[in-house]
Amino acid sequence: MLIRLRFALLACLSLAGALADPAMAADKPLWELGIGIGALSFPDYRGSDESDLYAIPLPYFVYRGDFIKADRQGIRGAFFDSDRIELNVTLGASLPVKSKDNGARQGMPDLKPSVEIGPSLDLNLWRTLDSRYTLDLRLPVRTSVTVESGLHDIGWVFSPRLNLDIVDVAGLPGWNLGVLAGPMYGSKRNHEFFYSVADPYATADRPAYDAKAGYAGSQFLVAASKRYPHYWLGAFVRWDSLKGAVFEDSPLVKRDTYFAAGVGIAWILGESASRVEALE
């Protein structure tokens, strides 16, 4: 569970940026490494009406290589000779759920934790001359596997989204704001994992249900962060809607809208002596 939460919180918080002055090319360390702690309020699964508050370790890692980079925008490679197109690697995951602790899933098999990984083609649609405002279209496609008792394929997810990054938001130096929104889609196998009810687990209040592939709702996220000389702060709020999703009528969907939120702090423990010029 901690692996999943680290991925989720780091991904959400990093949307707003982790560095102090991304609008200018500057001399920066080749790599930075740190560790911190985060708090996350999240539902058991999308559509659940039960949630928990987690305190989790939060890794911090930045690498500014010529061909591979790892920073606030994820892990990406220089596969295109263009400042308008990037091919990134994206990560996602889902929480493990003990069915005995979730009212909607009483008597059903537990939900194993899963990890999602896959490429994202990111297209820059617009930016100002000083790069203070940047609007991107991100097209991530990820395959999902359970990570408990071996790896088992549970389908794919596709979540095209618009992402707006604002540097020095409201005139506050170093504070970065990220706004992200878009629909979600999933395969039949992925939706079955979370929302199907097999005949042996059907009850009077929970009829058998066969989830289908297709539209899986939408998300809207706002994140803010600032990189100080020796530490980093970040926070996010996410609104999730399952209205119109192909599995909205599953008996396991108890809520079609909800909020999730997180906050984190990471201390920078070390950085390389090598310096590179970076525009971030």
Side-chain angles (χ1 to χ4, degrees), residues 34-113:
I35 190 68
I37 188 170
L40 179 69
S41 176
F42 226 70
D44 288 352
Y45 56 89
R46 296 183 68 235
S48 174
D49 59 354
E50 300 182 43
S51 61
D52 284 296
L53 180 65
Y54 303 90
I56 49 97
L58 179 65
Y60 178 94
F61 177 68
V62 174
Y63 180 75
R64 306 179 179 93
D66 290 334
F67 301 103
I68 299 295
K69 300 180 186 295
D71 55 24
R72 66 191 180 93
Q73 298 178 37
I75 303 171
R76 62 193 195 278
F79 300 106
F80 301 98
D81 185 18
S82 171
D83 61 354
R84 298 287 182 175
I85 304 175
E86 288 185 345
L87 185 61
N88 297 336
V89 176
T90 64
L91 297 171
S94 68
L95 288 161
V97 177
K98 294 291 185 182
S99 293
K100 65 181 179 64
D101 298 327
N102 183 279
R105 296 188 57 88
Q106 288 283 337
M108 295 184 66
D110 296 339
L111 282 179
K112 296 178 180 180

Side-chain angles (χ1 to χ4, degrees), residues 61-277:
F61 177 68
V62 174
Y63 180 75
R64 306 179 179 93
D66 290 334
F67 301 103
I68 299 295
K69 300 180 186 295
D71 55 24
R72 66 191 180 93
Q73 298 178 37
I75 303 171
R76 62 193 195 278
F79 300 106
F80 301 98
D81 185 18
S82 171
D83 61 354
R84 298 287 182 175
I85 304 175
E86 288 185 345
L87 185 61
N88 297 336
V89 176
T90 64
L91 297 171
S94 68
L95 288 161
V97 177
K98 294 291 185 182
S99 293
K100 65 181 179 64
D101 298 327
N102 183 279
R105 296 188 57 88
Q106 288 283 337
M108 295 184 66
D110 296 339
L111 282 179
K112 296 178 180 180
S114 70
V115 171
E116 300 168 3
I117 186 169
S120 176
L121 183 64
D122 297 348
L123 311 174
N124 177 247
L125 303 179
W126 170 81
R127 62 171 172 251
T128 58
L129 292 177
D130 60 2
S131 295
R132 283 195 60 197
Y133 297 85
T134 304
L135 180 65
D136 296 328
L137 172 63
R138 299 182 177 179
L139 303 170
V141 179
R142 299 191 293 263
T143 187
S144 184
V145 295
T146 60
V147 293
E148 185 178 283
S149 303
L151 301 179
H152 299 282
D153 177 26
I154 55 170
W156 55 264
V157 295
F158 173 52
S159 51
R161 49 196 58 193
L162 290 173
N163 182 84
L164 175 66
D165 280 324
I166 305 173
V167 175
D168 296 339
V169 63
L172 300 173
W175 277 103
N176 304 312
L177 182 73
V179 180
L180 180 152
M184 302 176 69
Y185 302 88
S187 66
K188 177 177 175 61
R189 186 179 301 175
N190 188 264
H191 292 169
E192 283 179 336
F193 178 75
F194 292 101
Y195 303 107
S196 283
V197 178
D199 289 335
Y201 308 110
T203 67
D205 298 325
R206 187 178 61 208
Y209 184 81
D210 183 25
K212 297 177 176 60
Y215 178 65
S218 57
Q219 292 182 341
F220 178 83
L221 184 144
V222 177
S225 69
K226 181 173 181 177
R227 167 70 156 84
Y228 290 90
H230 302 294
Y231 62 97
W232 171 90
L233 288 176
F236 79 92
V237 175
R238 193 185 84 188
W239 179 76
D240 209 321
S241 172
L242 276 66
K243 292 183 177 179
V246 293
F247 50 77
E248 185 182 10
D249 56 347
S250 167
L252 300 178
V253 174
K254 298 299 183 181
R255 177 180 292 178
D256 58 11
T257 59
Y258 65 86
F259 283 94
V263 61
I265 181 171
W267 290 268
I268 312 305
L269 302 179
E271 61 182 43
S272 68
S274 302
R275 316 288 290 189
V276 296
E277 187 175 272

